[in-house]
Amino acid sequence: MKKNNTESKLRKAAQEQSDLPPNFVWDNIEEELNIKDQKRRIGFWWWGSAILIFTTIITIILVRGNQDQYLHSTNQSYPKSDKTTQNNSNEYINNDIKNSNTPNLIGTKTIEKTNKLKAANLNNKNTGTLKDQLSKVSKTKDDFENSNNLPNHQNLTITSVDKTYKENSIFNIQEENKTLSINEEMRITNTYHPLASLNINSPTYSRQLLPTQEYSSFENKKYFNPFLEYGIIAGVHALNFSKAQNHNIYNQRKESERSWYSTGIYSQIGMNIFSNWYASIGVEWTMSKSKFENRKNGITKMVVNLDPNTGSAIDTNFISGSILDKGDITLHFIDIPFNLGYTVSNNNWLYGAELSTLINLKTTAEGKLLTGSEIGTLSNGQQDIYKKSVGLGFKGSLLLGRKINEQYILQLRPSYKTYLNPISASNNALSTRYNLFSLSVGMKRFF
Amino acid sequence: MNNDQLILGCQRNDRKSQKILYDNYSRQMYSICLRYCHDPASAADALQEGFIKVYKYINSYNKSGNLYSWIQKIIVRSCLDQIKKEKSHFSIDVTEMNSIDHNYEIDFDFDDYTYNKVLEILETIPSGYKIVFSMYVLDELSHKEIAVLLDISESTSRTQLYKARKLIQKKLSDYSIVNTNAV
């Protein structure tokens, strides 16, 4: 039914409509665009840094892998000896210096090669008879001493070479129906100063039989070992409010809102990158609950008097009283942490520290309002108060671990976490910062 | 600055170009927002979110298309998001009619007051009718686009439009009779 094209005319009229929007709309758009630009810039630097760190780690691993290969395939041109002496070491070094054309400093590199070789040799099960075990230990010691034969560097200038090897081993053995443990420490430190004093410290070696049962522990096994860690988090968070233009909001939230508890789970994978350093990446979910209780005066009851004859209202009274609003607010954070940690071990205990940079993937907030009259009413709109993603964060942790066996370490981790930016939405009058003090318990498994 | 330069500027995130684009289209788009949203504050919010999306997705704009229509679609979507966010009374009767006259259109003697009268009527009819009618008749969206935006079937969209047209036609006729009697 098309008679006079009413709808076309309506459409034309609709397109000709023009209403001036409020000025604040563009101001808000501009502010939002500025924030997005800032985030884009931060994101660019962040991802650039992350890629750089990742590339560096991979490069270190690859280079070290090549060095190991080189060590195994090196044609050792130096004569082997059962015991390192000052004379023969000096001879090797002097030969190196004599044959060198261009500077090529070696130091830590050689030590690592040596240690790596030891790690490979020690990576076996400590089973068998006492004789077998002793044979293995002797072989290891001999290997180390023989490794004073420096790799065949064609171009070599040595200022100093420190070769240190320490091995703490506790073997659990069965010998003639008796269970015995051998607590053994082998420390060999050789220092060469070819251009100075030419000092050499002789190896020291001690072995002690203990009547206790222990499992073996090799410090050197940590090198490059990949690991998986997972655990639970418990703690308490703190919300810090900055003074808003509207002081009432600030005072009200500061007085009425209280942190309750935080909990979460985490998981990370990583590997040792140096002797005591490790790097890892993971995922972490944290949930923080706050309570609020706000008491205010207001109309609590309305009394309507009805005419008994007609049933219509003839009088209305309002009764004032105290109104109690209480409820809770739950914040959820999903973060990707990039961790760098340092650990030292003492027998079966590990101590250390860890620094983490966090990328917040998602933040969600929900609230539950419980009032005298509206029990269980869901209070929507919390997401309008808080951001959907907070951006960058940082975490510092102390580590305390206990080796359970060759593969597993139980780890306790007191931590402090904070985000660079406030968690409150940019258009929210009250700026809110989030901090978390937590204690996590996790299991670290080496592969 | 022509449209191509304007779009290029926006794609380069140039604030000046973005402001010009906003100045060129914000008035018409705000009128659309006022038509969908219940109050000026919600309409302003929808306009704000809509323009932020326009700048975000400006790289995907196909220059061969009409820029007004492209922005309009984003703004309409933003209005619908605003309505859903506010949880206003927004419900659509999904009952479908088997036999409807697809060619049925409102027929009325159009004058200077008709458009405003139709806007008044839109505020009195069920929200589902209002939105589908606005989207199809006033904003030229297809049933397919409406179906996607409202998460309904095309058939439901057609049914809603038919019912809206019938109801608006009736109300316009009633208005006409009242006015005639008044005269």
Side-chain angles (χ1 to χ4, degrees):
Chain A
M1 194 192 289
K2 291 182 182 175
K3 287 177 183 173
N4 58 4
N5 288 326
T6 308
E7 290 191 3
S8 299
K9 288 171 186 168
L10 279 173
R11 187 176 304 129
K12 195 164 173 255
Q15 287 176 0
E16 284 168 359
Q17 293 300 305
S18 173
D19 294 280
L20 183 66
N23 289 334
F24 65 81
V25 174
W26 171 251
D27 295 339
N28 289 349
I29 291 171
E30 196 172 23
E31 193 184 329
E32 192 83 19
L33 291 173
N34 287 339
I35 291 169
K36 279 183 195 295
D37 285 351
Q38 200 180 355
K39 275 185 184 170
R40 202 177 295 133
R41 277 196 291 272
I42 291 172
F44 171 79
W45 284 110
W46 167 248
W47 282 112
S49 309
I51 289 166
L52 189 69
I53 291 168
F54 182 74
T55 312
T56 308
I57 291 170
I58 294 295
T59 309
I60 289 169
I61 291 165
L62 288 176
V63 168
R64 287 184 166 226
N66 286 341
Q67 283 178 351
D68 293 341
Q69 202 175 2
Y70 169 75
L71 183 66
H72 287 296
S73 62
T74 297
N75 176 18
Q76 307 237 339
S77 61
Y78 299 98
K80 293 189 176 182
S81 64
D82 292 335
K83 181 128 179 132
T84 307
T85 66
Q86 188 166 354
N87 290 337
N88 60 22
S89 292
N90 288 346
E91 191 183 331
Y92 308 151
I93 294 159
N94 288 334
N95 282 337
D96 279 333
I97 295 168
K98 199 163 60 182
N99 295 330
S100 67
N101 292 320
T102 55
N104 183 0
L105 300 178
I106 61 166
T108 312
K109 198 161 65 173
T110 309
I111 295 166
E112 285 163 2
K113 281 176 189 171
T114 309
N115 285 342
K116 186 69 182 172
L117 180 66
K118 293 293 126 350
N121 283 336
L122 292 169
N123 190 11
N124 51 39
K125 299 277 183 190
N126 298 305
T127 55
T129 64
L130 177 59
K131 194 178 171 188
D132 291 340
Q133 292 298 325
L134 294 179
S135 163
K136 278 178 193 170
V137 172
S138 302
K139 188 170 179 288
T140 307
K141 187 167 74 73
D142 290 344
D143 282 344
F144 178 75
E145 287 177 358
N146 290 336
S147 74
N148 285 324
N149 303 323
L150 297 169
N152 184 18
H153 290 274
Q154 291 301 316
N155 304 315
L156 188 69
T157 300
I158 301 175
T159 52
S160 73
V161 179
D162 289 342
K163 293 174 72 67
T164 304
Y165 176 67
K166 180 188 171 189
E167 176 187 319
N168 272 94
S169 310
I170 300 170
F171 296 103
N172 182 28
I173 58 165
Q174 191 79 29
E175 182 70 14
E176 295 174 353
N177 299 324
K178 291 178 191 170
T179 303
L180 293 172
S181 291
I182 297 175
N183 185 3
E184 185 179 74
E185 180 182 299
M186 182 166 68
R187 184 190 293 273
I188 306 173
T189 306
N190 292 336
T191 307
Y192 308 95
H193 295 287
L195 302 178
S197 59
L198 299 170
N199 289 331
I200 297 177
N201 301 322
S202 296
T204 59
Y205 184 71
S206 70
R207 176 175 291 160
Q208 188 186 1
L209 283 173
L210 296 175
T212 54
Q213 289 193 32
E214 294 284 349
Y215 290 102
S216 61
S217 169
F218 296 109
E219 233 179 289
N220 284 338
K221 262 195 85 177
K222 287 191 303 183
Y223 278 90
F224 305 117
N225 276 358
F227 64 82
L228 166 72
E229 188 181 335
Y230 45 87
I232 55 171
I233 304 166
V236 65
H237 62 285
L239 295 177
N240 297 331
F241 304 115
S242 299
K243 283 212 170 184
Q245 290 174 345
N246 183 346
H247 282 238
N248 287 338
I249 300 174
Y250 173 77
N251 292 332
Q252 192 184 9
R253 286 195 66 182
K254 197 165 166 46
E255 287 167 15
S256 63
E257 213 164 305
R258 294 280 175 272
S259 300
W260 191 5
Y261 69 87
S262 295
T263 185
I265 52 173
Y266 75 96
S267 176
Q268 56 173 271
I269 52 168
M271 63 167 64
N272 290 80
I273 50 173
F274 293 107
S275 57
N276 290 317
W277 291 89
Y278 67 86
S280 63
I281 185 173
V283 62
E284 189 174 305
W285 168 76
T286 324
M287 185 267 280
S288 295
K289 244 181 170 34
S290 299
K291 271 184 168 180
F292 67 86
E293 192 171 308
N294 187 31
R295 197 177 288 276
K296 60 187 177 186
N297 290 324
I299 296 167
T300 54
K301 201 177 276 184
M302 184 174 81
V303 180
V304 182
N305 296 319
L306 304 174
D307 186 326
N309 298 321
T310 62
S312 57
I314 54 172
D315 188 18
T316 307
N317 294 313
F318 295 99
I319 298 170
S320 297
S322 176
I323 302 171
L324 178 68
D325 284 339
K326 62 178 185 176
D328 56 63
I329 298 166
T330 310
L331 294 162
H332 299 268
F333 300 94
I334 298 175
D335 298 315
I336 299 287
F338 292 84
N339 310 307
L340 186 65
Y342 181 85
T343 54
V344 287
S345 64
N346 184 2
N347 291 329
N348 285 332
W349 291 95
L350 277 171
Y351 313 93
E354 185 183 87
L355 280 174
S356 313
T357 306
L358 312 164
I359 298 178
N360 180 251
L361 283 188
K362 195 177 178 187
T363 299
T364 53
E366 56 197 42
K368 195 162 70 175
L369 175 69
L370 305 170
T371 64
S373 57
E374 294 177 272
I375 301 294
T377 304
L378 278 173
S379 166
N380 294 309
Q382 289 292 336
Q383 198 58 60
D384 296 335
I385 298 174
Y386 297 107
K387 286 175 183 161
K388 289 175 182 169
S389 173
V390 192
L392 277 183
F394 291 102
K395 190 164 84 167
S397 311
L398 294 174
L399 305 171
L400 174 65
R402 167 80 183 171
K403 288 178 189 170
I404 295 174
N405 59 30
E406 277 294 287
Q407 281 191 312
Y408 288 95
I409 296 174
L410 181 66
Q411 204 151 266
L412 202 63
R413 188 194 301 259
S415 307
Y416 166 72
K417 174 173 101 169
T418 189
Y419 291 104
L420 267 184
N421 298 314
I423 59 168
S424 49
S426 54
N427 57 357
N428 195 278
L430 194 63
S431 175
T432 310
R433 284 192 173 274
Y434 175 89
N435 303 291
L436 175 68
F437 300 91
S438 65
L439 187 68
S440 63
V441 182
M443 190 65 81
K444 197 170 188 175
R445 183 186 192 280
F446 284 94
F447 294 96
Chain B
M1 193 182 273
N2 62 32
N3 260 5
D4 285 351
Q5 289 171 321
L6 197 60
I7 291 159
L8 198 64
C10 290
Q11 287 173 342
R12 287 175 181 162
N13 209 19
D14 171 41
R15 196 70 79 244
K16 197 176 161 190
S17 303
Q18 289 170 332
K19 177 75 167 85
I20 294 170
L21 185 81
Y22 176 81
D23 289 340
N24 288 355
Y25 291 97
S26 62
R27 287 168 177 248
Q28 287 164 295
M29 296 306 147
Y30 187 52
S31 299
I32 293 173
C33 294
L34 284 172
R35 181 152 33 87
Y36 282 96
C37 298
H38 285 274
D39 58 80
S42 302
D45 281 349
L47 184 73
Q48 180 182 319
E49 292 304 315
F51 264 96
I52 287 168
K53 281 177 193 160
V54 166
Y55 298 133
K56 186 178 177 184
Y57 297 112
I58 192 79
N59 285 312
S60 65
Y61 168 66
N62 178 3
K63 282 180 189 170
S64 61
N66 183 328
L67 183 60
Y68 173 89
S69 301
W70 185 77
I71 296 175
Q72 180 202 32
K73 280 184 182 120
I74 292 177
I75 295 292
V76 170
R77 188 188 280 266
S78 176
C79 290
L80 295 176
D81 289 342
Q82 184 67 27
I83 293 168
K84 284 173 190 168
K85 196 170 148 188
E86 289 176 355
K87 294 193 175 165
S88 307
H89 299 293
F90 172 47
S91 59
I92 290 183
D93 176 12
V94 292
T95 316
E96 293 170 10
M97 294 170 74
N98 290 328
S99 57
I100 55 172
D101 180 4
H102 293 297
N103 296 321
Y104 179 81
E105 276 193 16
I106 293 168
D107 181 34
F108 193 74
D109 288 331
F110 195 88
D111 58 28
D112 291 345
Y113 305 104
T114 309
Y115 177 73
N116 286 335
K117 185 62 204 166
V118 168
L119 288 188
E120 280 174 28
I121 291 170
L122 284 176
E123 291 304 317
T124 64
I125 64 176
S127 56
Y129 292 1
K130 173 190 164 182
I131 288 169
V132 173
F133 182 83
S134 288
M135 291 170 91
Y136 187 85
V137 176
L138 304 182
D139 295 324
E140 281 191 286
L141 270 73
S142 67
H143 283 299
K144 194 176 178 182
E145 288 170 323
I146 295 169
V148 171
L149 286 171
L150 297 179
D151 196 21
I152 57 176
S153 69
E154 286 183 49
S155 174
T156 302
S157 173
R158 285 196 182 87
T159 306
Q160 290 285 303
L161 178 67
Y162 177 73
K163 286 178 177 175
R165 278 169 162 166
K166 279 278 187 191
L167 196 54
I168 293 167
Q169 178 71 60
K170 183 177 180 301
K171 288 194 181 245
L172 277 173
S173 304
D174 292 346
Y175 166 75
S176 176
I177 291 165
V178 170
N179 274 8
T180 308
N181 290 341
V183 172

